[in-house]
Each structure stands twice: as structure tokens, then as C-alpha cells.
Amino acid sequence: MTSEPSEDRDVPWAMQLVVHRDRANPAREVDVAEAAASAVVKLLADERSAPGGPWHEAVRTWRNVQIRKLVRRADGKRWDDVQSLPGVTVVRASTDDDAAAAVRAFVPAPVRPLPKELHKLQVSGTQFPEGGGSRNEDAVVTVEVAPGLGISSGKLAAQCGHAAQLAWEAMPRDVRERWRADDYRVRVVFPTAPEWIAVERPVTVTDAGLTELDGPTETTRAWWG
């Protein structure tokens, strides 16, 4: 079931994202961030989120309040359990060298009460190994991450999800169609400080600084080609 939209602004709304974590063979951080960004957009673009769909009112209410995203982690049975809750899962296939990255985005809802399958999952301290760049060289959308943030992999996934969402909302219809045909793949890159300050992008994300960051901070940008 999806949560009924509520006008109670005392309870924040959020889109919950759950990242699959294999303790023995974890995915790379960049792959997790890209899967999270794709999952957010795939949920928003899903016909169930469109007017008349069963998710539309929940998505509309959330977007009107704040596009907050919370990232949790799950493995084993806990990952299997959350698949029954309304949402969209994105899996980016493994390679000979790297494990698969999997993220499920859930229909936005108040942050409490949560279904027990989500409530018991850890939020803070979600970390995946760094190393290597994106393999999505020809993706329609690129998200770049501000240098020197020092944030967790979970926070990074949320920020990339914000940037991808804003890109999807801002881009022309024909680009949306190309992105849909490409299965909403996202390329996440990490520019140097000189590269970051040298250019402007059509989409920029400033985090409010409620968690991990000390005050409002520009975290990510996005553009499409």
C-alpha cells in the first residue's frame, strides 16, 4: 500500500532509497550513486506517478513540501523484504572486476511511521569503496560532485538523486525521451576544484546542511547532452 497524502506539515516527507550492500563484495561508490540517481528518475517517470496513477498524489505532495531523500542499506533477507513495498529497483550489472550496484526507490511518504521493513534499516554510516570512474561514458545525463565534500556514500547517493531529479524536471521533452530510451542511465563524475569553478551547469543542488554538511552547501550539478 502507498501512504495517503497528508497535510500535516509537522511530519516531514521523504523518498526513501535502499541500497543493497553485499558485505563480502560491495559495489563501488560511483556505481551506487549512479543507480540511486536512475532509480529516483525511474520512479518519477513511472506511469504510476502520473496524474491518475496510484502514486501520483504521494509524489505530488512530497514535491510540494521538500524533495528530501533518505538512504538506507540492506543485505540478505532485509533487501528481499523491501522489494514488496511500492517502488522501483535499479540494478547496474556487475563486471569481471566490480560487483553489481542495486538501489530501490520507494514512493514518497511521511518519515514516520514507516513500514517495519524500512524502519529497521540503518541510515547513517552507509559507505561503499571508492575507486575507478564511471563506466557510463555515453549517458544522456551527467552529474558532477563538488570536490572536498567529505560525505558518506549514502549522502552522495541522495545528492546525485536530487541532481538527476532536477535535470529530469528541467530538460526538454525530446531529451527526456532520449533518456527514457537509455533506461535513465546517469554518469557521475568528480571534477577537480579548478574544473568545478570553471563552468556553470543548468542544474545545481544546494544541500540545506541538516546532515553531514555544516550549513547550506552546493553539492552536485547536472547537465545533459
Side-chain angles (χ1 to χ4, degrees):
M1 295 177 60
T2 56
S3 298
E4 289 296 323
S6 169
E7 297 304 316
D8 183 1
R9 295 297 185 259
D10 292 334
V11 180
W13 279 59
M15 176 187 285
Q16 305 284 337
L17 302 173
V18 174
V19 179
H20 179 254
R21 184 183 64 173
D22 184 334
R23 293 174 185 270
N25 188 27
R28 298 187 308 160
E29 182 178 68
V30 66
D31 296 331
V32 170
E34 290 175 345
S38 294
V40 168
V41 176
K42 289 192 79 168
L43 187 147
L44 296 175
D46 193 289
E47 62 182 10
R48 289 166 289 185
S49 296
W55 299 350
H56 174 68
E57 286 304 311
V59 170
R60 181 191 63 82
T61 299
W62 167 71
R63 288 171 70 182
N64 287 345
V65 177
Q66 183 185 27
I67 61 166
R68 185 182 186 190
K69 299 174 181 70
L70 295 175
V71 177
R72 300 169 184 270
R73 62 181 183 269
D75 53 16
K77 183 177 183 301
R78 291 188 172 188
W79 170 253
D80 295 336
D81 288 346
V82 299
Q83 302 305 308
S84 64
L85 300 175
V88 174
T89 295
V90 167
V91 179
R92 294 306 183 208
S94 62
T95 68
D96 292 339
D97 298 319
D98 301 310
V103 178
R104 185 167 180 83
F106 297 87
V107 177
V111 298
R112 60 181 184 274
L114 286 174
K116 65 180 185 301
E117 295 90 344
L118 289 175
H119 179 72
K120 62 187 177 183
L121 299 181
Q122 186 80 21
V123 177
S124 62
T126 298
Q127 198 65 43
F128 287 83
E130 300 177 8
S134 173
R135 291 189 294 264
N136 292 335
E137 293 298 326
D138 57 346
V140 174
V141 171
T142 299
V143 171
E144 61 181 3
V145 181
L149 291 177
I151 57 178
S152 67
S153 300
K155 182 75 170 181
L156 175 66
Q159 297 304 300
C160 290
H162 291 339
Q165 174 180 346
L166 295 178
W168 181 77
E169 293 175 348
M171 65 179 48
R173 183 185 297 272
D174 65 311
V175 180
R176 272 196 187 186
E177 287 303 308
R178 285 197 293 113
W179 201 13
R180 180 188 61 78
D182 192 40
D183 200 29
Y184 299 108
R185 288 188 309 128
V186 175
R187 176 176 175 247
V188 172
V189 297
F190 300 87
T192 64
E195 290 170 337
W196 175 263
I197 64 175
V199 295
E200 294 184 357
R201 305 299 187 188
V203 166
T204 182
V205 175
T206 298
D207 184 75
L210 299 178
T211 60
E212 297 194 27
L213 296 169
D214 185 16
T217 304
E218 187 181 19
T219 57
T220 47
R221 300 171 179 166
W223 73 94
W224 48 90

Short mmCIF file of all heavy atoms in Angstrom, two decimals, residues 94-160:
data_model
loop_
_atom_site.label_atom_id
_atom_site.label_comp_id
_atom_site.label_asym_id
_atom_site.label_seq_id
_atom_site.Cartn_x
_atom_site.Cartn_y
_atom_site.Cartn_z
N SER A 94 27.08 -6.29 -12.77
CA SER A 94 28.47 -6.42 -12.35
C SER A 94 29.36 -6.62 -13.57
O SER A 94 28.90 -6.95 -14.67
CB SER A 94 28.61 -7.59 -11.40
OG SER A 94 28.24 -8.80 -12.06
N THR A 95 30.65 -6.42 -13.37
CA THR A 95 31.65 -6.72 -14.38
C THR A 95 32.61 -7.75 -13.80
O THR A 95 32.44 -8.22 -12.66
CB THR A 95 32.43 -5.46 -14.78
OG1 THR A 95 33.25 -5.05 -13.66
CG2 THR A 95 31.50 -4.33 -15.16
N ASP A 96 33.62 -8.11 -14.56
CA ASP A 96 34.61 -9.07 -14.05
C ASP A 96 35.33 -8.54 -12.81
O ASP A 96 35.78 -9.31 -11.97
CB ASP A 96 35.63 -9.40 -15.13
CG ASP A 96 35.03 -10.18 -16.28
OD1 ASP A 96 33.97 -10.80 -16.07
OD2 ASP A 96 35.62 -10.18 -17.38
N ASP A 97 35.41 -7.21 -12.71
CA ASP A 97 36.17 -6.60 -11.61
C ASP A 97 35.30 -6.01 -10.50
O ASP A 97 35.76 -5.88 -9.37
CB ASP A 97 37.07 -5.48 -12.15
CG ASP A 97 38.10 -6.01 -13.14
OD1 ASP A 97 38.65 -7.09 -12.89
OD2 ASP A 97 38.32 -5.34 -14.16
N ASP A 98 34.06 -5.64 -10.82
CA ASP A 98 33.24 -4.90 -9.85
C ASP A 98 31.90 -5.58 -9.61
O ASP A 98 31.30 -6.15 -10.53
CB ASP A 98 32.99 -3.47 -10.35
CG ASP A 98 34.29 -2.71 -10.56
OD1 ASP A 98 35.11 -2.71 -9.64
OD2 ASP A 98 34.46 -2.13 -11.64
N ALA A 99 31.41 -5.47 -8.37
CA ALA A 99 30.11 -6.04 -8.01
C ALA A 99 28.98 -5.18 -8.57
O ALA A 99 29.15 -4.00 -8.85
CB ALA A 99 30.01 -6.13 -6.49
N ALA A 100 27.81 -5.78 -8.70
CA ALA A 100 26.64 -5.06 -9.16
C ALA A 100 26.20 -4.05 -8.10
O ALA A 100 26.39 -4.26 -6.90
CB ALA A 100 25.50 -6.03 -9.44
N ALA A 101 25.61 -2.95 -8.56
CA ALA A 101 25.02 -1.96 -7.66
C ALA A 101 23.51 -2.02 -7.82
O ALA A 101 23.00 -2.06 -8.94
CB ALA A 101 25.52 -0.56 -8.01
N ALA A 102 22.80 -2.05 -6.70
CA ALA A 102 21.35 -2.13 -6.73
C ALA A 102 20.75 -1.16 -5.73
O ALA A 102 21.18 -1.10 -4.57
CB ALA A 102 20.88 -3.55 -6.42
N VAL A 103 19.76 -0.40 -6.18
CA VAL A 103 19.09 0.59 -5.33
C VAL A 103 17.59 0.52 -5.62
O VAL A 103 17.18 0.45 -6.79
CB VAL A 103 19.60 2.02 -5.60
CG1 VAL A 103 18.85 3.03 -4.73
CG2 VAL A 103 21.10 2.12 -5.36
N ARG A 104 16.79 0.57 -4.57
CA ARG A 104 15.34 0.66 -4.74
C ARG A 104 14.86 2.00 -4.19
O ARG A 104 15.17 2.36 -3.05
CB ARG A 104 14.60 -0.48 -4.03
CG ARG A 104 13.08 -0.48 -4.30
CD ARG A 104 12.44 -1.78 -3.85
NE ARG A 104 11.00 -1.82 -4.10
CZ ARG A 104 10.42 -2.15 -5.25
NH1 ARG A 104 11.18 -2.45 -6.29
NH2 ARG A 104 9.11 -2.19 -5.38
N ALA A 105 14.12 2.75 -5.02
CA ALA A 105 13.48 4.00 -4.61
C ALA A 105 12.03 3.71 -4.29
O ALA A 105 11.35 3.01 -5.05
CB ALA A 105 13.58 5.04 -5.73
N PHE A 106 11.56 4.26 -3.17
CA PHE A 106 10.20 3.99 -2.71
C PHE A 106 9.31 5.21 -2.88
O PHE A 106 9.78 6.36 -2.84
CB PHE A 106 10.22 3.55 -1.24
CG PHE A 106 10.97 2.26 -1.05
CD1 PHE A 106 12.33 2.27 -0.84
CD2 PHE A 106 10.32 1.05 -1.11
CE1 PHE A 106 13.04 1.08 -0.69
CE2 PHE A 106 11.02 -0.15 -0.96
CZ PHE A 106 12.38 -0.12 -0.75
N VAL A 107 8.04 4.95 -3.05
CA VAL A 107 7.07 6.04 -3.19
C VAL A 107 7.18 6.95 -1.97
O VAL A 107 7.19 6.47 -0.83
CB VAL A 107 5.64 5.47 -3.30
CG1 VAL A 107 4.62 6.59 -3.37
CG2 VAL A 107 5.54 4.58 -4.54
N PRO A 108 7.30 8.27 -2.17
CA PRO A 108 7.45 9.19 -1.03
C PRO A 108 6.31 9.06 -0.03
O PRO A 108 5.16 8.79 -0.39
CB PRO A 108 7.45 10.57 -1.70
CG PRO A 108 7.91 10.32 -3.10
CD PRO A 108 7.35 8.97 -3.47
N ALA A 109 6.66 9.32 1.22
CA ALA A 109 5.69 9.19 2.31
C ALA A 109 6.23 9.94 3.52
O ALA A 109 7.40 10.32 3.56
CB ALA A 109 5.48 7.72 2.67
N PRO A 110 5.39 10.18 4.54
CA PRO A 110 5.90 10.76 5.79
C PRO A 110 7.01 9.88 6.36
O PRO A 110 6.99 8.65 6.21
CB PRO A 110 4.67 10.77 6.70
CG PRO A 110 3.50 10.79 5.76
CD PRO A 110 3.93 9.96 4.59
N VAL A 111 7.97 10.51 7.03
CA VAL A 111 9.10 9.74 7.56
C VAL A 111 8.72 8.90 8.77
O VAL A 111 9.49 8.03 9.19
CB VAL A 111 10.29 10.67 7.91
CG1 VAL A 111 10.80 11.37 6.67
CG2 VAL A 111 9.90 11.68 9.00
N ARG A 112 7.55 9.16 9.32
CA ARG A 112 7.03 8.30 10.38
C ARG A 112 5.50 8.34 10.36
O ARG A 112 4.91 9.38 10.07
CB ARG A 112 7.57 8.73 11.75
CG ARG A 112 7.24 10.15 12.15
CD ARG A 112 7.85 10.48 13.52
NE ARG A 112 7.43 11.82 13.94
CZ ARG A 112 8.05 12.94 13.60
NH1 ARG A 112 9.15 12.90 12.86
NH2 ARG A 112 7.59 14.11 14.01
N PRO A 113 4.88 7.19 10.62
CA PRO A 113 5.54 5.89 10.81
C PRO A 113 5.94 5.29 9.46
O PRO A 113 5.31 5.56 8.45
CB PRO A 113 4.46 5.05 11.48
CG PRO A 113 3.17 5.62 10.92
CD PRO A 113 3.41 7.10 10.77
N LEU A 114 7.00 4.52 9.48
CA LEU A 114 7.45 3.81 8.29
C LEU A 114 7.05 2.34 8.36
O LEU A 114 6.89 1.79 9.47
CB LEU A 114 8.97 3.88 8.17
CG LEU A 114 9.60 5.20 7.73
CD1 LEU A 114 11.11 5.08 7.81
CD2 LEU A 114 9.17 5.59 6.33
N PRO A 115 6.89 1.70 7.22
CA PRO A 115 6.72 0.24 7.25
C PRO A 115 7.88 -0.41 7.99
O PRO A 115 9.02 0.06 7.92
CB PRO A 115 6.73 -0.15 5.76
CG PRO A 115 6.36 1.10 5.03
CD PRO A 115 6.91 2.23 5.84
N LYS A 116 7.61 -1.47 8.70
CA LYS A 116 8.65 -2.09 9.53
C LYS A 116 9.84 -2.53 8.70
O LYS A 116 10.98 -2.53 9.18
CB LYS A 116 8.08 -3.27 10.30
CG LYS A 116 7.61 -4.45 9.46
CD LYS A 116 7.05 -5.55 10.33
CE LYS A 116 6.68 -6.80 9.54
NZ LYS A 116 5.68 -6.56 8.50
N GLU A 117 9.61 -2.87 7.42
CA GLU A 117 10.72 -3.31 6.57
C GLU A 117 11.74 -2.20 6.34
O GLU A 117 12.93 -2.47 6.17
CB GLU A 117 10.20 -3.80 5.21
CG GLU A 117 9.33 -5.04 5.29
CD GLU A 117 7.85 -4.72 5.47
OE1 GLU A 117 7.53 -3.56 5.84
OE2 GLU A 117 7.03 -5.62 5.24
N LEU A 118 11.26 -0.94 6.34
CA LEU A 118 12.16 0.21 6.17
C LEU A 118 12.66 0.74 7.50
O LEU A 118 13.83 1.13 7.62
CB LEU A 118 11.44 1.33 5.42
CG LEU A 118 11.17 1.12 3.94
CD1 LEU A 118 10.34 2.27 3.38
CD2 LEU A 118 12.47 1.00 3.16
N HIS A 119 11.80 0.75 8.49
CA HIS A 119 12.13 1.35 9.78
C HIS A 119 13.36 0.71 10.40
O HIS A 119 14.18 1.40 11.04
CB HIS A 119 10.95 1.24 10.73
CG HIS A 119 11.21 1.81 12.09
ND1 HIS A 119 11.32 3.15 12.34
CD2 HIS A 119 11.42 1.18 13.29
CE1 HIS A 119 11.56 3.36 13.62
NE2 HIS A 119 11.64 2.18 14.21
N LYS A 120 13.54 -0.58 10.22
CA LYS A 120 14.65 -1.28 10.88
C LYS A 120 15.97 -1.16 10.14
O LYS A 120 16.99 -1.66 10.62
CB LYS A 120 14.28 -2.75 11.09
CG LYS A 120 14.05 -3.53 9.80
CD LYS A 120 13.53 -4.92 10.13
CE LYS A 120 13.23 -5.73 8.87
NZ LYS A 120 12.67 -7.05 9.20
N LEU A 121 15.99 -0.49 8.99
CA LEU A 121 17.22 -0.38 8.21
C LEU A 121 18.04 0.82 8.64
O LEU A 121 17.51 1.88 8.93
CB LEU A 121 16.88 -0.27 6.72
CG LEU A 121 16.13 -1.46 6.11
CD1 LEU A 121 15.89 -1.21 4.63
CD2 LEU A 121 16.88 -2.76 6.33
N GLN A 122 19.35 0.65 8.64
CA GLN A 122 20.28 1.69 9.08
C GLN A 122 20.34 2.82 8.06
O GLN A 122 20.36 2.61 6.86
CB GLN A 122 21.68 1.09 9.24
CG GLN A 122 22.72 2.01 9.82
CD GLN A 122 22.63 2.14 11.33
OE1 GLN A 122 22.07 1.28 11.98
NE2 GLN A 122 23.18 3.20 11.87
N VAL A 123 20.38 4.07 8.57
CA VAL A 123 20.50 5.25 7.71
C VAL A 123 21.94 5.76 7.70
O VAL A 123 22.56 5.90 6.64
CB VAL A 123 19.56 6.37 8.17
CG1 VAL A 123 19.74 7.61 7.30
CG2 VAL A 123 18.11 5.91 8.12
N SER A 124 22.49 6.06 8.86
CA SER A 124 23.80 6.71 8.93
C SER A 124 24.93 5.73 8.67
O SER A 124 24.80 4.52 8.86
CB SER A 124 23.99 7.36 10.30
OG SER A 124 23.97 6.38 11.31
N GLY A 125 26.05 6.28 8.20
CA GLY A 125 27.26 5.49 8.05
C GLY A 125 27.30 4.56 6.85
O GLY A 125 28.11 3.64 6.81
N THR A 126 26.43 4.79 5.87
CA THR A 126 26.44 3.94 4.68
C THR A 126 27.63 4.30 3.81
O THR A 126 27.71 5.41 3.28
CB THR A 126 25.13 4.09 3.89
OG1 THR A 126 24.04 3.67 4.72
CG2 THR A 126 25.16 3.25 2.62
N GLN A 127 28.56 3.37 3.67
CA GLN A 127 29.79 3.65 2.95
C GLN A 127 30.13 2.51 2.01
O GLN A 127 30.00 1.34 2.37
CB GLN A 127 30.94 3.86 3.95
CG GLN A 127 32.14 4.57 3.36
CD GLN A 127 31.83 6.02 2.96
OE1 GLN A 127 31.16 6.73 3.70
NE2 GLN A 127 32.29 6.42 1.78
N PHE A 128 30.54 2.86 0.80
CA PHE A 128 30.97 1.90 -0.20
C PHE A 128 32.37 2.27 -0.67
O PHE A 128 32.78 3.43 -0.57
CB PHE A 128 30.00 1.87 -1.38
CG PHE A 128 28.68 1.22 -1.05
CD1 PHE A 128 27.67 1.94 -0.43
CD2 PHE A 128 28.47 -0.11 -1.35
CE1 PHE A 128 26.47 1.34 -0.10
CE2 PHE A 128 27.26 -0.72 -1.02
CZ PHE A 128 26.26 0.00 -0.40
N PRO A 129 33.12 1.32 -1.18
CA PRO A 129 34.51 1.61 -1.57
C PRO A 129 34.61 2.55 -2.77
O PRO A 129 33.84 2.43 -3.73
CB PRO A 129 35.08 0.23 -1.91
CG PRO A 129 33.90 -0.63 -2.18
CD PRO A 129 32.80 -0.11 -1.33
N GLU A 130 35.54 3.49 -2.67
CA GLU A 130 35.83 4.35 -3.80
C GLU A 130 36.72 3.59 -4.78
O GLU A 130 37.12 2.47 -4.53
CB GLU A 130 36.54 5.61 -3.32
CG GLU A 130 35.73 6.43 -2.33
CD GLU A 130 36.50 7.63 -1.82
OE1 GLU A 130 37.59 7.91 -2.35
OE2 GLU A 130 36.02 8.29 -0.88
N GLY A 131 37.03 4.23 -5.88
CA GLY A 131 37.97 3.60 -6.81
C GLY A 131 37.39 3.45 -8.19
O GLY A 131 36.36 2.80 -8.38
N GLY A 132 38.05 4.08 -9.15
CA GLY A 132 37.60 3.97 -10.53
C GLY A 132 36.51 4.96 -10.86
O GLY A 132 35.77 5.42 -9.99
N GLY A 133 36.42 5.30 -12.13
CA GLY A 133 35.42 6.26 -12.59
C GLY A 133 34.19 5.58 -13.15
O GLY A 133 34.07 4.35 -13.16
N SER A 134 33.28 6.40 -13.63
CA SER A 134 32.04 5.90 -14.21
C SER A 134 32.32 5.09 -15.47
O SER A 134 33.20 5.41 -16.25
CB SER A 134 31.12 7.08 -14.54
OG SER A 134 29.97 6.63 -15.25
N ARG A 135 31.49 4.08 -15.66
CA ARG A 135 31.54 3.32 -16.91
C ARG A 135 30.49 3.81 -17.91
O ARG A 135 30.40 3.30 -19.01
CB ARG A 135 31.33 1.83 -16.63
CG ARG A 135 32.48 1.18 -15.87
CD ARG A 135 32.31 -0.33 -15.83
NE ARG A 135 31.14 -0.71 -15.04
CZ ARG A 135 31.20 -1.05 -13.76
NH1 ARG A 135 32.35 -1.04 -13.12
NH2 ARG A 135 30.10 -1.39 -13.11
N ASN A 136 29.70 4.80 -17.50
CA ASN A 136 28.61 5.30 -18.36
C ASN A 136 29.08 6.49 -19.18
O ASN A 136 28.52 7.60 -19.08
CB ASN A 136 27.40 5.68 -17.50
CG ASN A 136 26.74 4.48 -16.87
OD1 ASN A 136 26.85 3.37 -17.39
ND2 ASN A 136 26.07 4.69 -15.77
N GLU A 137 30.06 6.30 -20.00
CA GLU A 137 30.65 7.40 -20.74
C GLU A 137 29.68 8.09 -21.68
O GLU A 137 29.79 9.27 -21.96
CB GLU A 137 31.88 6.91 -21.52
CG GLU A 137 33.04 6.48 -20.64
CD GLU A 137 33.58 7.62 -19.79
OE1 GLU A 137 33.57 8.77 -20.27
OE2 GLU A 137 34.02 7.37 -18.66
N ASP A 138 28.72 7.35 -22.22
CA ASP A 138 27.80 7.90 -23.21
C ASP A 138 26.40 8.14 -22.66
O ASP A 138 25.43 8.21 -23.41
CB ASP A 138 27.73 6.98 -24.43
CG ASP A 138 27.30 5.55 -24.05
OD1 ASP A 138 27.32 5.23 -22.84
OD2 ASP A 138 26.96 4.78 -24.96
N ALA A 139 26.26 8.27 -21.34
CA ALA A 139 24.95 8.52 -20.75
C ALA A 139 24.42 9.89 -21.16
O ALA A 139 25.19 10.83 -21.39
CB ALA A 139 25.04 8.43 -19.22
N VAL A 140 23.12 10.02 -21.24
CA VAL A 140 22.49 11.29 -21.61
C VAL A 140 22.74 12.35 -20.56
O VAL A 140 23.00 13.52 -20.88
CB VAL A 140 20.97 11.10 -21.84
CG1 VAL A 140 20.28 12.45 -22.07
CG2 VAL A 140 20.71 10.16 -23.01
N VAL A 141 22.69 11.99 -19.29
CA VAL A 141 22.80 12.94 -18.18
C VAL A 141 24.09 12.68 -17.39
O VAL A 141 24.42 11.53 -17.08
CB VAL A 141 21.58 12.85 -17.24
CG1 VAL A 141 21.80 13.67 -15.98
CG2 VAL A 141 20.33 13.32 -17.97
N THR A 142 24.78 13.77 -17.08
CA THR A 142 25.96 13.71 -16.23
C THR A 142 25.70 14.50 -14.96
O THR A 142 25.18 15.61 -15.00
CB THR A 142 27.20 14.29 -16.94
OG1 THR A 142 27.48 13.52 -18.11
CG2 THR A 142 28.41 14.28 -16.04
N VAL A 143 26.06 13.91 -13.83
CA VAL A 143 26.01 14.59 -12.53
C VAL A 143 27.45 14.74 -12.06
O VAL A 143 28.21 13.76 -12.04
CB VAL A 143 25.20 13.79 -11.50
CG1 VAL A 143 25.34 14.40 -10.11
CG2 VAL A 143 23.73 13.72 -11.90
N GLU A 144 27.83 15.96 -11.70
CA GLU A 144 29.17 16.17 -11.16
C GLU A 144 29.07 16.55 -9.69
O GLU A 144 28.14 17.23 -9.26
CB GLU A 144 29.93 17.23 -11.95
CG GLU A 144 29.32 18.60 -11.96
CD GLU A 144 30.15 19.57 -12.81
OE1 GLU A 144 31.15 19.15 -13.42
OE2 GLU A 144 29.77 20.76 -12.85
N VAL A 145 30.04 16.06 -8.93
CA VAL A 145 30.04 16.21 -7.47
C VAL A 145 31.09 17.23 -7.06
O VAL A 145 32.24 17.17 -7.53
CB VAL A 145 30.32 14.85 -6.80
CG1 VAL A 145 30.30 14.98 -5.28
CG2 VAL A 145 29.33 13.80 -7.28
N ALA A 146 30.70 18.14 -6.19
CA ALA A 146 31.64 19.17 -5.73
C ALA A 146 32.83 18.51 -5.03
O ALA A 146 32.66 17.57 -4.25
CB ALA A 146 30.94 20.12 -4.78
N PRO A 147 34.02 19.00 -5.28
CA PRO A 147 35.21 18.43 -4.63
C PRO A 147 35.26 18.76 -3.14
O PRO A 147 34.77 19.81 -2.70
CB PRO A 147 36.37 19.09 -5.38
CG PRO A 147 35.80 20.34 -5.95
CD PRO A 147 34.37 20.07 -6.23
N GLY A 148 35.84 17.83 -2.39
CA GLY A 148 36.11 18.09 -0.99
C GLY A 148 34.94 18.05 -0.04
O GLY A 148 35.02 18.59 1.06
N LEU A 149 33.84 17.40 -0.41
CA LEU A 149 32.66 17.38 0.46
C LEU A 149 32.88 16.52 1.70
O LEU A 149 32.37 16.83 2.77
CB LEU A 149 31.44 16.87 -0.31
CG LEU A 149 30.88 17.78 -1.40
CD1 LEU A 149 29.71 17.08 -2.10
CD2 LEU A 149 30.43 19.12 -0.83
N GLY A 150 33.54 15.40 1.55
CA GLY A 150 33.77 14.51 2.67
C GLY A 150 32.50 13.87 3.21
O GLY A 150 32.36 13.70 4.43
N ILE A 151 31.57 13.52 2.33
CA ILE A 151 30.30 12.95 2.76
C ILE A 151 30.30 11.44 2.58
O ILE A 151 31.11 10.88 1.85
CB ILE A 151 29.11 13.58 2.00
CG1 ILE A 151 29.28 13.40 0.48
CG2 ILE A 151 28.97 15.04 2.36
CD1 ILE A 151 28.12 13.94 -0.34
N SER A 152 29.35 10.78 3.25
CA SER A 152 29.23 9.33 3.15
C SER A 152 28.68 8.94 1.78
O SER A 152 28.14 9.77 1.03
CB SER A 152 28.30 8.81 4.24
OG SER A 152 26.97 9.25 3.99
N SER A 153 28.80 7.66 1.45
CA SER A 153 28.24 7.17 0.20
C SER A 153 26.73 7.32 0.16
O SER A 153 26.15 7.57 -0.90
CB SER A 153 28.63 5.70 0.00
OG SER A 153 30.01 5.52 -0.05
N GLY A 154 26.08 7.16 1.31
CA GLY A 154 24.64 7.34 1.36
C GLY A 154 24.23 8.76 1.06
O GLY A 154 23.29 9.01 0.29
N LYS A 155 24.92 9.72 1.64
CA LYS A 155 24.64 11.13 1.37
C LYS A 155 24.92 11.46 -0.10
O LYS A 155 24.16 12.20 -0.74
CB LYS A 155 25.51 11.99 2.28
CG LYS A 155 25.28 13.49 2.15
CD LYS A 155 24.01 13.94 2.81
CE LYS A 155 23.92 15.45 2.90
NZ LYS A 155 22.70 15.91 3.56
N LEU A 156 26.00 10.91 -0.63
CA LEU A 156 26.32 11.13 -2.04
C LEU A 156 25.21 10.61 -2.93
O LEU A 156 24.80 11.28 -3.90
CB LEU A 156 27.64 10.43 -2.38
CG LEU A 156 28.04 10.46 -3.85
CD1 LEU A 156 28.35 11.88 -4.31
CD2 LEU A 156 29.24 9.54 -4.10
N ALA A 157 24.70 9.43 -2.64
CA ALA A 157 23.61 8.86 -3.43
C ALA A 157 22.38 9.76 -3.42
O ALA A 157 21.73 9.98 -4.45
CB ALA A 157 23.25 7.47 -2.91
N ALA A 158 22.06 10.32 -2.25
CA ALA A 158 20.91 11.23 -2.16
C ALA A 158 21.13 12.49 -2.98
O ALA A 158 20.22 12.95 -3.68
CB ALA A 158 20.65 11.58 -0.69
N GLN A 159 22.33 13.06 -2.91
CA GLN A 159 22.61 14.29 -3.65
C GLN A 159 22.58 14.04 -5.16
O GLN A 159 22.08 14.88 -5.92
CB GLN A 159 23.97 14.85 -3.23
CG GLN A 159 24.05 15.26 -1.77
CD GLN A 159 22.97 16.26 -1.39
OE1 GLN A 159 22.89 17.35 -1.95
NE2 GLN A 159 22.13 15.90 -0.42
N CYS A 160 23.10 12.92 -5.60
CA CYS A 160 23.03 12.59 -7.02
C CYS A 160 21.59 12.36 -7.45
O CYS A 160 21.19 12.71 -8.58
CB CYS A 160 23.89 11.37 -7.32
SG CYS A 160 25.67 11.68 -7.17
#
